[in-house]
Amino acid sequence: MSAVIKTPTPFIIKSVLIAALEEIEAEPIVVTEQVLITYKHQGGLQLGDILTNRTDYYGPQHFRLSKERWILRHDSSEMNGRITTLSATSKRYKKVGDFLQLVGKTYEKAYQEYLELLAEQERIRLENERKARVERTRVETIKKAKAQGYSVKEARKGSQIQLVLTRTV
């Protein structure tokens, strides 16, 4: 038996998916060589897969990158579906469709936070570029003025720079 469960939200950014899984307490673990020794799955695990605390007949349910999207690999019949938790809290097993809906909603929220972070980083980058441009212009102006025989006095008023050029004849 097989099933296709489509999510309206494609999971494309690993860090956002991990944040969403952490938010819903799915206890994500990125598969490393050490994790490959510890965890077994009948379908096989690969480096970079993201394990969850959900298990089924084949082993831990996990996300795998496939064609630029993270896909949940699971037993479609949900035989032996359960939660194996690392923390002391007990959780109920949700059907895969319900789990993916929850992950999708949480992913969208985490994605918005990710976009806000990117926007803030871009704003900081642009501000640093502006400051560098102002400093470069200031240095060039002072250099040019001194080459033409001016003496330069610099005054700062808040975030503005005022250069006073004087030449005695």
Side-chain angles (χ1 to χ4, degrees):
M1 174 189 271
S2 66
V4 175
I5 299 173
K6 293 186 178 182
T7 58
T9 305
F11 306 129
I12 54 175
I13 302 171
K14 182 178 183 177
S15 61
V16 175
L17 177 59
I18 290 173
L21 291 170
E22 287 172 348
E23 177 72 23
I24 63 170
E25 298 178 346
E27 300 171 355
I29 299 171
V30 177
V31 174
T32 61
E33 290 193 24
Q34 183 63 35
V35 172
L36 283 174
I37 296 168
T38 309
Y39 291 89
K40 301 295 179 207
H41 189 277
Q42 287 184 3
L45 292 173
Q46 294 178 357
L47 291 176
D49 285 352
I50 303 171
L51 299 178
T52 67
N53 59 1
R54 300 167 52 86
T55 61
D56 56 30
Y57 179 76
Y58 295 110
Q61 294 179 358
H62 58 279
F63 286 87
R64 178 170 290 164
L65 188 61
S66 174
K67 298 180 184 174
E68 299 181 9
R69 291 179 184 210
W70 290 91
I71 308 296
L72 179 66
R73 298 186 68 219
H74 61 92
D75 176 17
S76 60
S77 68
E78 300 195 49
M79 186 185 301
N80 296 332
R82 64 189 178 282
I83 300 289
T84 56
T85 184
L86 301 174
S87 64
T89 61
S90 72
K91 300 173 185 113
R92 256 185 60 238
Y93 181 84
K94 292 182 172 137
K95 290 187 176 192
V96 172
D98 296 338
F99 173 72
L100 285 174
Q101 274 188 327
L102 180 60
V103 173
K105 287 178 185 175
T106 311
Y107 183 91
E108 288 175 13
K109 181 180 155 198
Y111 182 69
Q112 289 305 316
E113 292 171 3
Y114 174 77
L115 290 178
E116 290 170 9
L117 176 67
L118 288 180
E120 179 65 17
Q121 289 173 344
E122 179 67 9
R123 187 193 65 72
I124 290 170
R125 184 187 67 78
L126 290 173
E127 180 64 18
N128 288 339
E129 284 179 5
R130 185 193 69 77
K131 286 179 180 178
R133 189 174 55 251
V134 166
E135 182 62 21
R136 197 171 44 250
T137 303
R138 182 186 76 78
V139 168
E140 288 172 3
T141 303
I142 291 171
K143 191 176 186 180
K144 189 175 180 181
K146 285 186 177 182
Q148 293 177 1
Y150 290 95
S151 65
V152 180
K153 290 183 183 177
E154 183 177 331
R156 293 188 181 260
K157 294 181 180 177
S159 63
Q160 294 184 346
I161 300 172
Q162 181 180 19
L163 298 176
V164 179
L165 308 177
T166 56
R167 184 179 354 182
T168 54
V169 186

PDB file of all heavy atoms in Angstrom, residues 56-72:
ATOM      1  N   ASP A  56       8.093   4.237  12.983  1.00  0.00           N
ATOM      2  CA  ASP A  56       7.080   3.332  12.448  1.00  0.00           C
ATOM      3  C   ASP A  56       7.730   1.976  12.204  1.00  0.00           C
ATOM      4  O   ASP A  56       8.820   1.694  12.711  1.00  0.00           O
ATOM      5  CB  ASP A  56       6.419   3.907  11.193  1.00  0.00           C
ATOM      6  CG  ASP A  56       7.403   4.268  10.099  1.00  0.00           C
ATOM      7  OD1 ASP A  56       8.461   3.611  10.007  1.00  0.00           O
ATOM      8  OD2 ASP A  56       7.125   5.198   9.327  1.00  0.00           O
ATOM      9  N   TYR A  57       7.109   1.167  11.428  1.00  0.00           N
ATOM     10  CA  TYR A  57       7.565  -0.201  11.177  1.00  0.00           C
ATOM     11  C   TYR A  57       9.011  -0.241  10.674  1.00  0.00           C
ATOM     12  O   TYR A  57       9.776  -1.134  11.021  1.00  0.00           O
ATOM     13  CB  TYR A  57       6.621  -0.853  10.168  1.00  0.00           C
ATOM     14  CG  TYR A  57       7.000  -2.261   9.795  1.00  0.00           C
ATOM     15  CD1 TYR A  57       6.751  -3.323  10.671  1.00  0.00           C
ATOM     16  CD2 TYR A  57       7.608  -2.539   8.581  1.00  0.00           C
ATOM     17  CE1 TYR A  57       7.109  -4.618  10.338  1.00  0.00           C
ATOM     18  CE2 TYR A  57       7.967  -3.835   8.236  1.00  0.00           C
ATOM     19  CZ  TYR A  57       7.707  -4.872   9.123  1.00  0.00           C
ATOM     20  OH  TYR A  57       8.057  -6.142   8.794  1.00  0.00           O
ATOM     21  N   TYR A  58       9.405   0.724   9.847  1.00  0.00           N
ATOM     22  CA  TYR A  58      10.733   0.710   9.232  1.00  0.00           C
ATOM     23  C   TYR A  58      11.814   1.362  10.085  1.00  0.00           C
ATOM     24  O   TYR A  58      12.987   1.210   9.827  1.00  0.00           O
ATOM     25  CB  TYR A  58      10.696   1.392   7.857  1.00  0.00           C
ATOM     26  CG  TYR A  58       9.845   0.646   6.870  1.00  0.00           C
ATOM     27  CD1 TYR A  58       8.643   1.161   6.429  1.00  0.00           C
ATOM     28  CD2 TYR A  58      10.241  -0.595   6.389  1.00  0.00           C
ATOM     29  CE1 TYR A  58       7.858   0.466   5.534  1.00  0.00           C
ATOM     30  CE2 TYR A  58       9.457  -1.300   5.491  1.00  0.00           C
ATOM     31  CZ  TYR A  58       8.261  -0.768   5.069  1.00  0.00           C
ATOM     32  OH  TYR A  58       7.491  -1.463   4.180  1.00  0.00           O
ATOM     33  N   GLY A  59      11.422   2.133  11.069  1.00  0.00           N
ATOM     34  CA  GLY A  59      12.383   2.837  11.902  1.00  0.00           C
ATOM     35  C   GLY A  59      11.980   4.293  12.050  1.00  0.00           C
ATOM     36  O   GLY A  59      10.804   4.636  11.886  1.00  0.00           O
ATOM     37  N   PRO A  60      12.942   5.156  12.331  1.00  0.00           N
ATOM     38  CA  PRO A  60      12.601   6.576  12.554  1.00  0.00           C
ATOM     39  C   PRO A  60      12.088   7.250  11.277  1.00  0.00           C
ATOM     40  O   PRO A  60      12.649   7.054  10.202  1.00  0.00           O
ATOM     41  CB  PRO A  60      13.914   7.200  13.005  1.00  0.00           C
ATOM     42  CG  PRO A  60      14.983   6.244  12.621  1.00  0.00           C
ATOM     43  CD  PRO A  60      14.372   4.901  12.502  1.00  0.00           C
ATOM     44  N   GLN A  61      11.001   7.982  11.424  1.00  0.00           N
ATOM     45  CA  GLN A  61      10.520   8.780  10.293  1.00  0.00           C
ATOM     46  C   GLN A  61      11.490   9.947  10.141  1.00  0.00           C
ATOM     47  O   GLN A  61      11.920  10.541  11.125  1.00  0.00           O
ATOM     48  CB  GLN A  61       9.093   9.274  10.541  1.00  0.00           C
ATOM     49  CG  GLN A  61       8.088   8.146  10.589  1.00  0.00           C
ATOM     50  CD  GLN A  61       6.676   8.636  10.854  1.00  0.00           C
ATOM     51  OE1 GLN A  61       6.427   9.821  11.039  1.00  0.00           O
ATOM     52  NE2 GLN A  61       5.737   7.708  10.881  1.00  0.00           N
ATOM     53  N   HIS A  62      11.812  10.262   8.904  1.00  0.00           N
ATOM     54  CA  HIS A  62      12.815  11.302   8.684  1.00  0.00           C
ATOM     55  C   HIS A  62      12.557  12.035   7.382  1.00  0.00           C
ATOM     56  O   HIS A  62      11.844  11.564   6.506  1.00  0.00           O
ATOM     57  CB  HIS A  62      14.222  10.693   8.684  1.00  0.00           C
ATOM     58  CG  HIS A  62      14.415   9.622   7.661  1.00  0.00           C
ATOM     59  ND1 HIS A  62      13.989   8.329   7.859  1.00  0.00           N
ATOM     60  CD2 HIS A  62      14.974   9.644   6.438  1.00  0.00           C
ATOM     61  CE1 HIS A  62      14.283   7.598   6.791  1.00  0.00           C
ATOM     62  NE2 HIS A  62      14.879   8.382   5.914  1.00  0.00           N
ATOM     63  N   PHE A  63      13.151  13.226   7.310  1.00  0.00           N
ATOM     64  CA  PHE A  63      13.067  14.042   6.103  1.00  0.00           C
ATOM     65  C   PHE A  63      14.347  13.831   5.301  1.00  0.00           C
ATOM     66  O   PHE A  63      15.437  13.777   5.859  1.00  0.00           O
ATOM     67  CB  PHE A  63      12.917  15.524   6.458  1.00  0.00           C
ATOM     68  CG  PHE A  63      11.557  15.882   6.969  1.00  0.00           C
ATOM     69  CD1 PHE A  63      11.258  15.752   8.318  1.00  0.00           C
ATOM     70  CD2 PHE A  63      10.577  16.337   6.117  1.00  0.00           C
ATOM     71  CE1 PHE A  63      10.003  16.078   8.797  1.00  0.00           C
ATOM     72  CE2 PHE A  63       9.321  16.670   6.583  1.00  0.00           C
ATOM     73  CZ  PHE A  63       9.029  16.539   7.929  1.00  0.00           C
ATOM     74  N   ARG A  64      14.188  13.721   3.979  1.00  0.00           N
ATOM     75  CA  ARG A  64      15.335  13.576   3.084  1.00  0.00           C
ATOM     76  C   ARG A  64      15.185  14.589   1.953  1.00  0.00           C
ATOM     77  O   ARG A  64      14.105  14.803   1.427  1.00  0.00           O
ATOM     78  CB  ARG A  64      15.397  12.170   2.509  1.00  0.00           C
ATOM     79  CG  ARG A  64      16.563  12.013   1.516  1.00  0.00           C
ATOM     80  CD  ARG A  64      16.793  10.595   1.107  1.00  0.00           C
ATOM     81  NE  ARG A  64      17.327   9.855   2.254  1.00  0.00           N
ATOM     82  CZ  ARG A  64      17.359   8.535   2.320  1.00  0.00           C
ATOM     83  NH1 ARG A  64      16.913   7.809   1.324  1.00  0.00           N
ATOM     84  NH2 ARG A  64      17.842   7.935   3.386  1.00  0.00           N
ATOM     85  N   LEU A  65      16.299  15.201   1.590  1.00  0.00           N
ATOM     86  CA  LEU A  65      16.310  16.157   0.489  1.00  0.00           C
ATOM     87  C   LEU A  65      16.178  15.404  -0.828  1.00  0.00           C
ATOM     88  O   LEU A  65      16.963  14.518  -1.134  1.00  0.00           O
ATOM     89  CB  LEU A  65      17.600  16.969   0.506  1.00  0.00           C
ATOM     90  CG  LEU A  65      17.682  18.143  -0.462  1.00  0.00           C
ATOM     91  CD1 LEU A  65      16.599  19.170  -0.172  1.00  0.00           C
ATOM     92  CD2 LEU A  65      19.046  18.799  -0.372  1.00  0.00           C
ATOM     93  N   SER A  66      15.133  15.743  -1.582  1.00  0.00           N
ATOM     94  CA  SER A  66      14.880  15.102  -2.866  1.00  0.00           C
ATOM     95  C   SER A  66      14.405  16.170  -3.843  1.00  0.00           C
ATOM     96  O   SER A  66      13.361  16.786  -3.632  1.00  0.00           O
ATOM     97  CB  SER A  66      13.808  14.016  -2.703  1.00  0.00           C
ATOM     98  OG  SER A  66      13.447  13.485  -3.954  1.00  0.00           O
ATOM     99  N   LYS A  67      15.181  16.408  -4.884  1.00  0.00           N
ATOM    100  CA  LYS A  67      14.834  17.419  -5.895  1.00  0.00           C
ATOM    101  C   LYS A  67      14.567  18.783  -5.252  1.00  0.00           C
ATOM    102  O   LYS A  67      13.559  19.417  -5.485  1.00  0.00           O
ATOM    103  CB  LYS A  67      13.640  16.972  -6.721  1.00  0.00           C
ATOM    104  CG  LYS A  67      13.889  15.711  -7.499  1.00  0.00           C
ATOM    105  CD  LYS A  67      12.674  15.312  -8.303  1.00  0.00           C
ATOM    106  CE  LYS A  67      12.928  13.985  -8.996  1.00  0.00           C
ATOM    107  NZ  LYS A  67      11.749  13.473  -9.664  1.00  0.00           N
ATOM    108  N   GLU A  68      15.488  19.205  -4.400  1.00  0.00           N
ATOM    109  CA  GLU A  68      15.464  20.515  -3.743  1.00  0.00           C
ATOM    110  C   GLU A  68      14.322  20.696  -2.748  1.00  0.00           C
ATOM    111  O   GLU A  68      13.987  21.813  -2.379  1.00  0.00           O
ATOM    112  CB  GLU A  68      15.445  21.641  -4.788  1.00  0.00           C
ATOM    113  CG  GLU A  68      16.671  21.631  -5.681  1.00  0.00           C
ATOM    114  CD  GLU A  68      16.669  22.753  -6.702  1.00  0.00           C
ATOM    115  OE1 GLU A  68      15.814  23.643  -6.619  1.00  0.00           O
ATOM    116  OE2 GLU A  68      17.546  22.732  -7.572  1.00  0.00           O
ATOM    117  N   ARG A  69      13.692  19.606  -2.309  1.00  0.00           N
ATOM    118  CA  ARG A  69      12.636  19.675  -1.299  1.00  0.00           C
ATOM    119  C   ARG A  69      12.880  18.605  -0.258  1.00  0.00           C
ATOM    120  O   ARG A  69      13.363  17.519  -0.566  1.00  0.00           O
ATOM    121  CB  ARG A  69      11.257  19.421  -1.920  1.00  0.00           C
ATOM    122  CG  ARG A  69      10.812  20.512  -2.826  1.00  0.00           C
ATOM    123  CD  ARG A  69       9.475  20.187  -3.403  1.00  0.00           C
ATOM    124  NE  ARG A  69       9.108  21.221  -4.354  1.00  0.00           N
ATOM    125  CZ  ARG A  69       7.880  21.579  -4.600  1.00  0.00           C
ATOM    126  NH1 ARG A  69       6.898  20.954  -4.033  1.00  0.00           N
ATOM    127  NH2 ARG A  69       7.635  22.541  -5.449  1.00  0.00           N
ATOM    128  N   TRP A  70      12.507  18.910   0.972  1.00  0.00           N
ATOM    129  CA  TRP A  70      12.616  17.937   2.050  1.00  0.00           C
ATOM    130  C   TRP A  70      11.322  17.140   2.104  1.00  0.00           C
ATOM    131  O   TRP A  70      10.244  17.696   2.270  1.00  0.00           O
ATOM    132  CB  TRP A  70      12.895  18.636   3.378  1.00  0.00           C
ATOM    133  CG  TRP A  70      14.267  19.212   3.424  1.00  0.00           C
ATOM    134  CD1 TRP A  70      14.637  20.470   3.062  1.00  0.00           C
ATOM    135  CD2 TRP A  70      15.458  18.539   3.802  1.00  0.00           C
ATOM    136  NE1 TRP A  70      15.992  20.623   3.192  1.00  0.00           N
ATOM    137  CE2 TRP A  70      16.521  19.449   3.658  1.00  0.00           C
ATOM    138  CE3 TRP A  70      15.746  17.252   4.255  1.00  0.00           C
ATOM    139  CZ2 TRP A  70      17.828  19.127   3.950  1.00  0.00           C
ATOM    140  CZ3 TRP A  70      17.053  16.931   4.551  1.00  0.00           C
ATOM    141  CH2 TRP A  70      18.076  17.852   4.401  1.00  0.00           C
ATOM    142  N   ILE A  71      11.435  15.823   1.964  1.00  0.00           N
ATOM    143  CA  ILE A  71      10.293  14.916   1.913  1.00  0.00           C
ATOM    144  C   ILE A  71      10.320  14.020   3.152  1.00  0.00           C
ATOM    145  O   ILE A  71      11.371  13.482   3.506  1.00  0.00           O
ATOM    146  CB  ILE A  71      10.361  14.018   0.645  1.00  0.00           C
ATOM    147  CG1 ILE A  71      10.553  14.853  -0.620  1.00  0.00           C
ATOM    148  CG2 ILE A  71       9.157  13.107   0.550  1.00  0.00           C
ATOM    149  CD1 ILE A  71       9.420  15.779  -0.939  1.00  0.00           C
ATOM    150  N   LEU A  72       9.153  13.823   3.790  1.00  0.00           N
ATOM    151  CA  LEU A  72       9.070  12.929   4.936  1.00  0.00           C
ATOM    152  C   LEU A  72       9.016  11.491   4.443  1.00  0.00           C
ATOM    153  O   LEU A  72       8.147  11.124   3.659  1.00  0.00           O
ATOM    154  CB  LEU A  72       7.832  13.233   5.782  1.00  0.00           C
ATOM    155  CG  LEU A  72       7.635  12.335   7.011  1.00  0.00           C
ATOM    156  CD1 LEU A  72       8.752  12.572   8.026  1.00  0.00           C
ATOM    157  CD2 LEU A  72       6.279  12.571   7.646  1.00  0.00           C
TER     158      LEU A  72
END
